[in-house]
Coordinates of all heavy atoms in Angstrom, one line a residue:
M58 N 25.5 -24.0 13.5 CA 25.4 -22.7 12.8 C 24.1 -22.1 13.1 O 23.1 -22.7 12.9 CB 25.6 -23.0 11.3 CG 25.6 -21.7 10.4 SD 27.2 -21.0 10.4 CE 26.8 -19.6 9.3
P59 N 24.0 -20.8 13.5 CA 22.8 -20.1 13.8 C 22.0 -19.9 12.5 O 22.5 -19.8 11.4 CB 23.2 -18.8 14.3 CG 24.6 -18.9 14.7 CD 25.2 -20.0 13.9
Q60 N 20.7 -19.9 12.6 CA 19.8 -19.7 11.5 C 20.0 -18.3 10.9 O 19.9 -18.1 9.7 CB 18.3 -19.9 11.8 CG 18.0 -21.3 12.2 CD 16.6 -21.4 12.6 OE1 15.9 -20.4 12.8 NE2 16.1 -22.6 12.7
K61 N 20.1 -17.3 11.8 CA 20.3 -15.9 11.4 C 21.2 -15.3 12.4 O 21.1 -15.4 13.6 CB 18.9 -15.2 11.5 CG 18.9 -13.8 11.0 CD 17.5 -13.3 11.0 CE 17.5 -11.9 10.4 NZ 16.1 -11.4 10.5
T62 N 22.2 -14.6 11.8 CA 23.3 -14.0 12.7 C 23.0 -12.5 12.9 O 22.2 -11.9 12.2 CB 24.6 -14.1 12.0 OG1 24.7 -13.4 10.8 CG2 25.0 -15.6 11.7
L63 N 23.8 -11.9 13.8 CA 23.7 -10.5 14.0 C 24.1 -9.7 12.8 O 23.5 -8.6 12.4 CB 24.6 -10.1 15.2 CG 24.1 -10.5 16.6 CD1 25.2 -10.2 17.6 CD2 22.8 -9.9 16.9
A64 N 25.1 -10.2 12.0 CA 25.5 -9.6 10.8 C 24.3 -9.6 9.8 O 24.1 -8.6 9.0 CB 26.7 -10.3 10.2
D65 N 23.6 -10.7 9.7 CA 22.4 -10.7 8.8 C 21.3 -9.7 9.2 O 20.7 -9.0 8.4 CB 21.7 -12.1 8.9 CG 22.6 -13.2 8.3 OD1 23.6 -12.9 7.5 OD2 22.4 -14.4 8.8
T66 N 21.1 -9.5 10.5 CA 20.1 -8.6 11.0 C 20.6 -7.2 10.7 O 19.7 -6.3 10.2 CB 20.0 -8.7 12.5 OG1 19.6 -10.1 12.8 CG2 19.0 -7.8 13.1
L67 N 21.9 -6.9 10.8 CA 22.4 -5.5 10.5 C 22.3 -5.3 9.0 O 21.8 -4.2 8.6 CB 23.8 -5.4 11.0 CG 24.5 -4.0 10.8 CD1 23.7 -3.0 11.6 CD2 25.9 -4.1 11.1
A68 N 22.6 -6.3 8.2 CA 22.6 -6.1 6.7 C 21.2 -5.9 6.2 O 21.0 -5.1 5.3 CB 23.2 -7.3 6.1
A69 N 20.2 -6.5 6.9 CA 18.8 -6.3 6.5 C 18.2 -5.1 7.1 O 17.0 -4.8 6.8 CB 18.0 -7.5 7.0
N70 N 19.0 -4.3 7.8 CA 18.5 -3.0 8.5 C 17.3 -3.2 9.3 O 16.4 -2.4 9.3 CB 18.3 -2.0 7.4 CG 18.3 -0.6 7.9 OD1 18.9 -0.3 9.0 ND2 17.6 0.3 7.3
E71 N 17.2 -4.4 10.0 CA 16.1 -4.7 10.9 C 16.3 -4.0 12.3 O 17.5 -3.8 12.7 CB 15.9 -6.2 11.1 CG 15.6 -6.9 9.8 CD 15.6 -8.4 9.9 OE1 16.2 -8.9 10.8 OE2 14.9 -9.0 9.0
S72 N 15.2 -3.7 13.0 CA 15.3 -3.3 14.3 C 15.0 -4.4 15.3 O 14.0 -5.2 15.0 CB 14.3 -2.1 14.5 OG 14.5 -1.0 13.7
L73 N 15.7 -4.5 16.4 CA 15.5 -5.6 17.3 C 15.3 -5.0 18.7 O 16.0 -4.1 19.1 CB 16.8 -6.5 17.3 CG 16.7 -7.8 18.0 CD1 15.6 -8.7 17.3 CD2 18.0 -8.5 18.0
Y74 N 14.2 -5.4 19.3 CA 13.8 -4.9 20.6 C 13.8 -6.0 21.6 O 13.4 -7.1 21.3 CB 12.4 -4.3 20.6 CG 12.3 -3.0 19.8 CD1 12.2 -3.0 18.4 CD2 12.3 -1.8 20.5 CE1 12.1 -1.8 17.7 CE2 12.2 -0.6 19.8 CZ 12.1 -0.6 18.4 OH 12.0 0.6 17.7
V75 N 14.2 -5.7 22.9 CA 14.1 -6.7 23.9 C 13.0 -6.2 24.9 O 12.9 -5.0 25.1 CB 15.4 -6.9 24.7 CG1 15.9 -5.6 25.3 CG2 15.3 -8.0 25.7
N76 N 12.1 -7.1 25.3 CA 10.9 -6.8 26.0 C 10.9 -7.6 27.3 O 11.1 -8.8 27.3 CB 9.7 -7.1 25.2 CG 9.7 -6.5 23.8 OD1 9.6 -5.3 23.6 ND2 10.0 -7.3 22.8
C77 N 10.5 -6.9 28.4 CA 10.3 -7.6 29.7 C 8.9 -8.2 29.7 O 8.0 -7.6 29.3 CB 10.5 -6.6 30.8 SG 10.2 -7.3 32.5
S78 N 8.9 -9.4 30.2 CA 7.6 -10.1 30.2 C 6.8 -10.0 31.6 O 5.8 -10.6 31.7 CB 7.8 -11.6 29.9 OG 8.5 -12.3 30.9
H79 N 7.4 -9.2 32.5 CA 6.7 -9.1 33.8 C 5.5 -8.2 33.6 O 5.6 -7.1 33.1 CB 7.7 -8.5 34.8 CG 7.2 -8.7 36.2 ND1 6.2 -7.9 36.8 CD2 7.6 -9.5 37.2 CE1 5.9 -8.3 38.0 NE2 6.8 -9.3 38.3
P80 N 4.3 -8.6 34.1 CA 3.1 -7.7 33.8 C 3.1 -6.4 34.5 O 2.4 -5.5 34.1 CB 2.0 -8.6 34.4 CG 2.6 -9.6 35.3 CD 4.0 -9.8 34.8
M81 N 4.0 -6.2 35.5 CA 4.1 -4.9 36.2 C 5.1 -4.0 35.5 O 5.2 -2.8 35.9 CB 4.5 -5.1 37.7 CG 3.5 -5.8 38.5 SD 2.0 -4.9 38.7 CE 2.5 -3.6 39.7
C82 N 5.8 -4.5 34.5 CA 6.9 -3.7 33.9 C 6.6 -3.5 32.4 O 6.4 -2.4 32.0 CB 8.2 -4.4 34.1 SG 9.6 -3.6 33.4
C83 N 6.7 -4.6 31.6 CA 6.5 -4.6 30.2 C 7.5 -3.5 29.5 O 7.1 -3.0 28.4 CB 5.1 -4.3 29.8 SG 4.0 -5.6 30.4
K84 N 8.6 -3.3 30.0 CA 9.6 -2.3 29.4 C 10.1 -2.9 28.1 O 10.3 -4.1 28.0 CB 10.7 -2.1 30.4 CG 11.7 -1.1 29.9 CD 12.8 -0.9 31.0 CE 13.8 0.1 30.5 NZ 14.9 0.3 31.5
S85 N 10.3 -2.0 27.1 CA 10.9 -2.4 25.9 C 12.0 -1.5 25.5 O 11.9 -0.3 25.7 CB 9.8 -2.3 24.8 OG 10.3 -2.7 23.5
T86 N 13.1 -2.1 25.0 CA 14.3 -1.3 24.7 C 14.8 -1.7 23.3 O 14.9 -2.9 23.0 CB 15.4 -1.5 25.7 OG1 14.9 -1.1 27.0 CG2 16.6 -0.7 25.4
K87 N 15.1 -0.7 22.5 CA 15.7 -1.1 21.1 C 17.1 -1.4 21.3 O 17.9 -0.7 22.0 CB 15.5 0.1 20.2 CG 16.0 -0.1 18.8 CD 15.7 1.1 17.9 CE 16.2 0.8 16.5 NZ 16.0 1.9 15.6
L88 N 17.6 -2.5 20.7 CA 19.0 -2.9 20.9 C 19.8 -2.3 19.8 O 19.4 -2.1 18.7 CB 19.0 -4.4 20.7 CG 18.3 -5.2 21.8 CD1 18.4 -6.7 21.5 CD2 18.9 -4.9 23.2
D89 N 21.1 -2.0 20.2 CA 22.0 -1.5 19.2 C 22.8 -2.7 18.6 O 23.6 -3.3 19.3 CB 23.0 -0.5 20.0 CG 24.0 0.1 19.0 OD1 24.1 -0.2 17.8 OD2 24.8 1.0 19.5
I90 N 22.4 -3.0 17.4 CA 23.0 -4.2 16.7 C 24.5 -4.1 16.6 O 25.2 -5.1 16.8 CB 22.3 -4.4 15.4 CG1 20.8 -4.5 15.5 CG2 22.8 -5.7 14.7 CD1 20.3 -5.7 16.3
R91 N 25.0 -2.9 16.2 CA 26.4 -2.7 16.0 C 27.2 -3.0 17.4 O 28.2 -3.6 17.4 CB 26.7 -1.3 15.5 CG 26.3 -1.1 14.1 CD 26.8 0.2 13.6 NE 26.2 0.6 12.4 CZ 26.6 0.2 11.2 NH1 27.7 -0.6 11.1 NH2 26.0 0.6 10.1
A92 N 26.6 -2.5 18.5 CA 27.2 -2.7 19.8 C 27.2 -4.2 20.1 O 28.2 -4.8 20.7 CB 26.5 -1.9 20.9
L93 N 26.1 -4.9 19.8 CA 26.1 -6.4 20.0 C 27.1 -7.1 19.2 O 27.8 -8.0 19.6 CB 24.7 -6.9 19.7 CG 23.6 -6.7 20.7 CD1 22.2 -7.2 20.2 CD2 23.9 -7.4 22.0
I94 N 27.3 -6.7 17.9 CA 28.3 -7.3 17.1 C 29.7 -7.0 17.7 O 30.5 -8.0 17.7 CB 28.2 -6.8 15.6 CG1 26.9 -7.3 15.0 CG2 29.4 -7.1 14.8 CD1 26.6 -6.8 13.6
D95 N 30.0 -5.8 18.1 CA 31.3 -5.5 18.8 C 31.5 -6.4 20.0 O 32.7 -6.8 20.2 CB 31.4 -4.1 19.2 CG 31.4 -3.1 18.0 OD1 31.7 -3.6 16.9 OD2 31.2 -1.9 18.2
R96 N 30.5 -6.7 20.7 CA 30.6 -7.5 21.9 C 30.6 -9.0 21.7 O 31.4 -9.8 22.3 CB 29.5 -7.1 22.9 CG 29.6 -7.8 24.2 CD 28.6 -7.3 25.2 NE 28.7 -8.0 26.4 CZ 28.1 -7.7 27.5 NH1 27.3 -6.6 27.6 NH2 28.3 -8.4 28.6
L97 N 29.7 -9.5 20.8 CA 29.5 -10.9 20.6 C 30.1 -11.5 19.3 O 30.2 -12.7 19.2 CB 28.0 -11.2 20.7 CG 27.2 -10.8 21.9 CD1 25.7 -10.9 21.7 CD2 27.7 -11.5 23.1
G98 N 30.4 -10.6 18.4 CA 30.9 -11.0 17.1 C 29.8 -11.1 16.0 O 28.6 -11.4 16.4
P99 N 30.1 -10.9 14.8 CA 29.1 -10.9 13.7 C 28.4 -12.2 13.5 O 27.3 -12.3 12.9 CB 29.9 -10.4 12.5 CG 31.3 -10.8 12.8 CD 31.4 -10.7 14.3
D100 N 29.1 -13.3 13.8 CA 28.5 -14.7 13.6 C 27.6 -15.2 14.7 O 27.1 -16.3 14.6 CB 29.6 -15.7 13.3 CG 30.4 -15.4 12.1 OD1 29.8 -14.8 11.1 OD2 31.6 -15.7 12.0
H101 N 27.4 -14.4 15.8 CA 26.6 -14.8 16.9 C 25.1 -14.7 16.4 O 24.7 -13.8 15.6 CB 26.7 -13.8 18.1 CG 26.1 -14.3 19.3 ND1 24.8 -14.2 19.6 CD2 26.6 -15.0 20.4 CE1 24.5 -14.7 20.7 NE2 25.6 -15.2 21.2
G102 N 24.3 -15.7 16.8 CA 22.9 -15.8 16.4 C 22.1 -14.6 16.9 O 22.4 -14.0 17.9
S103 N 21.1 -14.2 16.1 CA 20.2 -13.1 16.5 C 18.8 -13.6 16.8 O 17.9 -12.8 16.9 CB 20.2 -12.0 15.4 OG 19.6 -12.5 14.2
M104 N 18.6 -14.9 16.8 CA 17.3 -15.5 17.1 C 17.1 -15.5 18.7 O 18.0 -15.3 19.4 CB 17.2 -16.9 16.6 CG 17.4 -17.0 15.1 SD 16.3 -16.0 14.1 CE 14.8 -17.1 14.2
H105 N 15.8 -15.7 19.1 CA 15.5 -15.7 20.5 C 16.4 -16.5 21.4 O 16.9 -16.0 22.4 CB 14.0 -16.1 20.7 CG 13.6 -16.2 22.1 ND1 13.2 -15.1 22.8 CD2 13.6 -17.3 23.0 CE1 12.9 -15.5 24.1 NE2 13.1 -16.8 24.2
W106 N 16.6 -17.8 21.0 CA 17.4 -18.6 21.9 C 18.8 -18.3 21.9 O 19.6 -18.7 22.8 CB 17.1 -20.1 21.5 CG 15.8 -20.5 21.9 CD1 14.7 -20.8 21.0 CD2 15.2 -20.6 23.2 NE1 13.6 -21.1 21.7 CE2 13.9 -21.0 23.1 CE3 15.7 -20.4 24.5 CZ2 13.0 -21.2 24.2 CZ3 14.9 -20.6 25.6 CH2 13.6 -21.0 25.4
D107 N 19.3 -17.5 20.9 CA 20.7 -17.1 20.9 C 20.9 -15.9 21.8 O 22.1 -15.8 22.3 CB 21.1 -16.7 19.5 CG 21.0 -17.8 18.5 OD1 21.3 -19.0 18.8 OD2 20.5 -17.5 17.3
L108 N 19.9 -15.2 22.1 CA 20.1 -13.9 22.9 C 19.4 -13.9 24.3 O 19.8 -13.1 25.1 CB 19.5 -12.8 22.1 CG 20.1 -12.5 20.8 CD1 19.3 -11.4 20.0 CD2 21.5 -12.0 20.9
V109 N 18.5 -14.9 24.5 CA 17.6 -14.8 25.7 C 18.5 -14.9 27.0 O 18.1 -14.2 28.0 CB 16.5 -15.8 25.7 CG1 17.1 -17.2 25.9 CG2 15.5 -15.5 26.7
G110 N 19.5 -15.6 27.1 CA 20.3 -15.7 28.3 C 21.2 -14.5 28.6 O 21.8 -14.4 29.6
L111 N 21.3 -13.6 27.6 CA 22.2 -12.4 27.8 C 21.5 -11.2 28.4 O 22.1 -10.3 28.8 CB 22.7 -12.0 26.4 CG 23.5 -13.1 25.6 CD1 23.8 -12.6 24.2 CD2 24.7 -13.5 26.4
F112 N 20.1 -11.2 28.5 CA 19.4 -10.1 28.9 C 18.5 -10.4 30.1 O 18.0 -11.4 30.2 CB 18.5 -9.5 27.8 CG 19.3 -9.0 26.6 CD1 19.6 -9.8 25.5 CD2 19.7 -7.7 26.6 CE1 20.4 -9.3 24.5 CE2 20.5 -7.2 25.5 CZ 20.8 -8.0 24.5
A113 N 18.4 -9.3 31.0 CA 17.5 -9.4 32.1 C 17.0 -7.9 32.3 O 17.7 -7.0 31.9 CB 18.2 -9.9 33.4
C114 N 15.9 -7.7 32.8 CA 15.3 -6.4 33.0 C 15.9 -5.7 34.2 O 15.7 -6.2 35.4 CB 13.8 -6.5 33.1 SG 13.0 -4.9 33.3
S115 N 16.6 -4.6 34.0 CA 17.2 -3.9 35.1 C 16.1 -3.1 35.9 O 16.3 -3.0 37.1 CB 18.2 -2.8 34.6 OG 17.6 -2.0 33.7
G116 N 15.0 -2.8 35.3 CA 13.9 -2.1 36.1 C 13.3 -3.1 37.1 O 13.0 -2.7 38.2
C117 N 13.1 -4.3 36.7 CA 12.5 -5.3 37.6 C 13.5 -5.6 38.7 O 13.1 -5.8 39.9 CB 12.1 -6.5 36.9 SG 10.6 -6.4 35.9
K118 N 14.8 -5.7 38.4 CA 15.8 -6.0 39.4 C 15.8 -4.9 40.4 O 15.9 -5.1 41.6 CB 17.2 -6.2 38.7 CG 18.2 -6.5 39.7 CD 19.6 -6.8 39.0 CE 20.6 -7.1 40.0 NZ 21.9 -7.4 39.3
A119 N 15.8 -3.6 40.0 CA 15.8 -2.5 40.9 C 14.6 -2.4 41.8 O 14.7 -2.0 42.9 CB 16.0 -1.2 40.1
A120 N 13.4 -2.9 41.2 CA 12.2 -2.8 42.0 C 12.0 -4.1 42.9 O 11.1 -4.2 43.6 CB 11.0 -2.7 41.0
G121 N 13.0 -5.0 42.8 CA 12.9 -6.2 43.6 C 11.9 -7.2 43.1 O 11.5 -8.1 43.9
R122 N 11.5 -7.1 41.9 CA 10.5 -8.1 41.3 C 11.3 -9.4 40.9 O 12.5 -9.3 40.6 CB 9.8 -7.5 40.1 CG 8.8 -6.4 40.5 CD 7.9 -6.0 39.3 NE 8.6 -5.2 38.4 CZ 8.6 -3.8 38.4 NH1 7.9 -3.2 39.4 NH2 9.2 -3.1 37.5
D123 N 10.5 -10.5 40.8 CA 11.2 -11.7 40.4 C 11.6 -11.6 38.9 O 11.0 -10.9 38.1 CB 10.2 -12.9 40.6 CG 8.9 -12.7 39.8 OD1 8.4 -11.6 39.8 OD2 8.4 -13.8 39.3
R124 N 12.6 -12.3 38.6 CA 13.1 -12.3 37.2 C 12.2 -13.1 36.3 O 11.9 -14.3 36.5 CB 14.6 -12.8 37.2 CG 15.2 -12.8 35.8 CD 16.6 -13.3 35.8 NE 17.0 -13.3 34.4 CZ 18.3 -13.4 34.0 NH1 19.2 -13.6 35.0 NH2 18.6 -13.5 32.8
R125 N 11.8 -12.5 35.2 CA 11.0 -13.1 34.2 C 11.8 -13.2 32.9 O 12.7 -12.4 32.7 CB 9.7 -12.4 33.9 CG 8.8 -12.2 35.1 CD 8.0 -13.4 35.4 NE 7.2 -13.3 36.6 CZ 5.9 -13.0 36.6 NH1 5.3 -12.9 35.4 NH2 5.2 -12.9 37.7
Q126 N 11.4 -14.1 32.1 CA 12.1 -14.2 30.8 C 11.8 -13.0 29.9 O 10.7 -12.5 29.9 CB 11.7 -15.5 30.1 CG 12.6 -15.9 28.9 CD 12.2 -17.3 28.4 OE1 11.2 -17.8 28.7 NE2 13.1 -17.8 27.6
V127 N 12.8 -12.6 29.1 CA 12.5 -11.5 28.2 C 12.2 -12.2 26.8 O 12.4 -13.3 26.6 CB 13.8 -10.6 28.0 CG1 14.1 -9.9 29.3 CG2 15.0 -11.4 27.6
F128 N 11.6 -11.4 26.0 CA 11.4 -11.8 24.6 C 11.8 -10.7 23.7 O 12.0 -9.6 24.1 CB 9.9 -12.3 24.4 CG 8.9 -11.2 24.6 CD1 8.4 -10.5 23.6 CD2 8.4 -10.9 25.9 CE1 7.4 -9.5 23.7 CE2 7.4 -10.0 26.1 CZ 6.9 -9.2 25.0
F129 N 11.8 -11.1 22.4 CA 12.4 -10.1 21.4 C 11.4 -9.9 20.3 O 10.6 -10.7 20.0 CB 13.6 -10.7 20.8 CG 14.7 -11.0 21.8 CD1 14.8 -12.1 22.5 CD2 15.6 -9.9 22.1 CE1 15.8 -12.3 23.5 CE2 16.6 -10.1 23.1 CZ 16.7 -11.3 23.8
T130 N 11.4 -8.7 19.8 CA 10.6 -8.3 18.6 C 11.5 -7.8 17.5 O 12.4 -6.9 17.8 CB 9.6 -7.1 19.0 OG1 8.9 -7.5 20.1 CG2 8.7 -6.8 17.8
C131 N 11.4 -8.4 16.4 CA 12.2 -8.0 15.2 C 11.3 -7.3 14.2 O 10.3 -7.8 13.8 CB 12.8 -9.3 14.6 SG 13.9 -8.8 13.1
I132 N 11.7 -6.1 13.9 CA 10.9 -5.3 12.9 C 11.7 -5.1 11.6 O 12.7 -4.5 11.6 CB 10.5 -3.9 13.5 CG1 9.7 -4.1 14.8 CG2 9.7 -3.1 12.5 CD1 9.4 -2.9 15.6
P133 N 11.1 -5.7 10.5 CA 11.8 -5.6 9.3 C 11.9 -4.1 8.8 O 11.1 -3.3 9.2 CB 11.0 -6.4 8.3 CG 10.1 -7.3 9.2 CD 9.9 -6.5 10.5
D134 N 12.8 -3.9 7.8 CA 12.9 -2.6 7.2 C 11.8 -2.4 6.1 O 12.1 -2.6 4.9 CB 14.3 -2.4 6.6 CG 14.5 -1.1 5.9 OD1 13.8 -0.1 6.3 OD2 15.4 -1.0 5.1
Y135 N 10.6 -2.1 6.5 CA 9.5 -2.0 5.6 C 9.7 -0.9 4.5 O 9.4 -1.1 3.4 CB 8.2 -1.8 6.3 CG 7.7 -3.0 7.1 CD1 7.6 -2.9 8.5 CD2 7.4 -4.2 6.5 CE1 7.2 -4.0 9.2 CE2 7.0 -5.3 7.2 CZ 6.9 -5.1 8.6 OH 6.5 -6.2 9.3
E136 N 10.3 0.2 5.0 CA 10.5 1.3 4.1 C 11.5 0.9 3.0 O 11.3 1.2 1.8 CB 11.0 2.5 4.8 CG 11.0 3.8 4.1 CD 11.3 5.0 4.9 OE1 10.7 5.1 6.0 OE2 12.2 5.7 4.6
G137 N 12.6 0.2 3.4 CA 13.6 -0.2 2.4 C 13.0 -1.3 1.4 O 13.3 -1.3 0.2
Q138 N 12.2 -2.2 1.9 CA 11.5 -3.2 1.1 C 10.6 -2.5 0.1 O 10.5 -2.9 -1.1 CB 10.7 -4.2 1.9 CG 11.6 -5.1 2.7 CD 10.8 -5.9 3.7 OE1 9.5 -5.9 3.7 NE2 11.4 -6.8 4.5
Q139 N 9.9 -1.4 0.5 CA 9.0 -0.7 -0.4 C 9.8 0.0 -1.5 O 9.4 0.0 -2.6 CB 8.1 0.3 0.4 CG 7.0 0.9 -0.3 CD 5.9 0.0 -0.7 OE1 5.8 -1.1 -0.1 NE2 5.1 0.4 -1.6
R140 N 10.9 0.6 -1.1 CA 11.8 1.3 -2.1 C 12.3 0.3 -3.1 O 12.2 0.6 -4.3 CB 13.0 1.9 -1.4 CG 12.8 3.4 -1.0 CD 14.1 4.0 -0.6 NE 14.9 3.2 0.3 CZ 14.8 3.3 1.6 NH1 13.9 4.0 2.2 NH2 15.6 2.6 2.4
A141 N 12.7 -0.8 -2.7 CA 13.2 -1.9 -3.6 C 12.1 -2.4 -4.5 O 12.3 -2.6 -5.7 CB 13.8 -3.0 -2.8
R142 N 10.9 -2.5 -4.0 CA 9.8 -3.0 -4.8 C 9.4 -2.0 -5.8 O 9.0 -2.4 -6.9 CB 8.6 -3.3 -3.8 CG 7.5 -4.0 -4.5 CD 6.4 -4.4 -3.5 NE 6.9 -5.0 -2.3 CZ 6.6 -4.6 -1.1 NH1 5.8 -3.6 -0.9 NH2 7.1 -5.2 0.0
N143 N 9.5 -0.7 -5.5 CA 9.0 0.3 -6.4 C 10.1 1.0 -7.2 O 9.9 1.9 -8.0 CB 8.3 1.4 -5.6 CG 7.0 0.9 -5.1 OD1 6.4 0.0 -5.6 ND2 6.5 1.5 -4.0
R144 N 11.3 0.4 -7.1 CA 12.5 1.1 -7.8 C 12.2 1.2 -9.3 O 12.5 2.2 -9.9 CB 13.7 0.3 -7.5 CG 15.0 0.8 -8.1 CD 16.2 0.0 -7.8 NE 15.9 -1.4 -7.9 CZ 16.3 -2.4 -7.1 NH1 17.1 -2.0 -6.0 NH2 16.0 -3.6 -7.2
D145 N 11.7 0.1 -10.0 CA 11.6 0.1 -11.4 C 10.1 0.4 -11.8 O 9.8 0.3 -13.0 CB 12.0 -1.2 -12.0 CG 13.4 -1.5 -11.7 OD1 14.2 -0.6 -11.7 OD2 13.8 -2.7 -11.5
W146 N 9.3 0.8 -10.9 CA 7.9 1.1 -11.2 C 7.8 2.5 -11.9 O 8.4 3.5 -11.5 CB 7.1 1.1 -9.9 CG 5.6 1.4 -10.2 CD1 4.7 0.5 -10.6 CD2 4.9 2.6 -10.0 NE1 3.5 1.1 -10.7 CE2 3.6 2.4 -10.3 CE3 5.3 3.9 -9.6 CZ2 2.7 3.4 -10.2 CZ3 4.4 4.9 -9.5 CH2 3.1 4.7 -9.8
K147 N 7.0 2.5 -13.0 CA 6.8 3.7 -13.8 C 5.3 3.9 -13.9 O 4.6 2.9 -14.2 CB 7.4 3.6 -15.2 CG 8.9 3.3 -15.2 CD 9.7 4.6 -15.3 CE 11.1 4.4 -15.6 NZ 11.9 3.9 -14.5
P148 N 4.8 5.0 -13.6 CA 3.3 5.2 -13.7 C 2.9 5.3 -15.2 O 3.6 5.7 -16.0 CB 3.1 6.6 -13.0 CG 4.4 7.3 -13.2 CD 5.4 6.2 -13.1
T149 N 1.7 4.8 -15.4 CA 1.1 4.9 -16.8 C -0.1 5.8 -16.6 O -0.9 5.6 -15.7 CB 0.8 3.5 -17.3 OG1 -0.1 2.9 -16.4 CG2 2.0 2.7 -17.5
F150 N -0.3 6.6 -17.6 CA -1.4 7.5 -17.6 C -2.4 7.3 -18.7 O -2.7 8.1 -19.5 CB -1.0 9.0 -17.6 CG -0.1 9.3 -16.4 CD1 1.3 9.4 -16.5 CD2 -0.7 9.6 -15.2 CE1 2.0 9.7 -15.4 CE2 0.1 9.9 -14.1 CZ 1.4 10.0 -14.2
Q151 N -2.7 6.0 -18.8 CA -3.6 5.6 -19.9 C -5.0 5.6 -19.4 O -5.3 5.2 -18.3 CB -3.3 4.3 -20.5 CG -1.9 4.2 -21.1 CD -1.5 2.8 -21.5 OE1 -2.3 1.9 -21.2 NE2 -0.4 2.7 -22.1
R152 N -6.0 6.1 -20.2 CA -7.4 6.1 -19.8 C -8.0 4.8 -20.0 O -7.6 4.1 -21.0 CB -8.2 7.2 -20.6 CG -7.8 8.6 -20.3 CD -8.7 9.5 -21.0 NE -8.3 10.8 -20.7 CZ -9.1 11.7 -20.2 NH1 -10.4 11.4 -20.0 NH2 -8.7 12.9 -19.9
R153 N -8.8 4.4 -19.1 CA -9.5 3.1 -19.3 C -10.7 3.3 -20.2 O -11.4 4.3 -20.2 CB -10.0 2.6 -17.9 CG -8.9 2.3 -17.0 CD -9.5 1.7 -15.7 NE -8.4 1.5 -14.8 CZ -8.6 0.9 -13.6 NH1 -9.8 0.6 -13.2 NH2 -7.6 0.7 -12.8
S154 N -10.9 2.4 -21.0 CA -12.0 2.5 -22.0 C -13.3 1.9 -21.4 O -13.4 1.0 -20.6 CB -11.7 1.7 -23.2 OG -10.5 2.3 -23.8

């Protein structure tokens, strides 16, 4: 069982980027989580080792560079977390003594 699935990533509203590790390229592309779920299923893992074999850099292939391993960047939904944290917050306008 994967630690974290694509469905978990989608539910958390996280952004997932795939990055080329070739120093002449360093291309980064945002992944469409819904399209990955349609192709791989919602229970497919979303961690590095679950996805690394599925991606290669098309820019490096077109340029004839050697294939390097890709890596992933997961960006949490900071705005949603902030909204949830401040949902019940009420300002107080008391003067300090």
Side-chain angles (χ1 to χ4, degrees):
M58 180 86 180
Q60 293 178 350
K61 186 175 182 182
T62 65
L63 291 172
D65 296 336
T66 303
L67 183 65
N70 200 27
E71 295 173 338
S72 299
L73 194 60
Y74 290 82
V75 60
N76 310 285
C77 177
S78 64
H79 197 287
M81 296 294 291
C82 181
C83 299
K84 182 179 178 180
S85 179
T86 303
K87 184 176 180 179
L88 296 176
D89 184 353
I90 304 297
R91 289 187 193 276
L93 282 174
I94 288 174
D95 291 343
R96 185 172 178 172
L97 303 172
D100 294 329
H101 193 278
S103 65
M104 302 300 283
H105 174 83
W106 289 112
D107 300 321
L108 298 172
V109 72
L111 303 173
F112 294 92
C114 181
S115 59
C117 285
K118 183 177 180 180
R122 291 189 281 267
D123 59 322
R124 182 178 174 167
R125 302 282 178 102
Q126 191 172 17
V127 296
F128 62 96
F129 299 89
T130 305
C131 181
I132 301 175
D134 179 23
Y135 291 116
E136 193 172 307
Q138 292 173 359
Q139 188 70 16
R140 267 194 312 274
R142 190 177 311 129
N143 292 332
R144 182 180 43 222
D145 297 327
W146 181 78
K147 304 263 190 285
T149 59
F150 298 103
Q151 299 173 357
R152 292 184 179 237
R153 293 184 185 183
S154 299

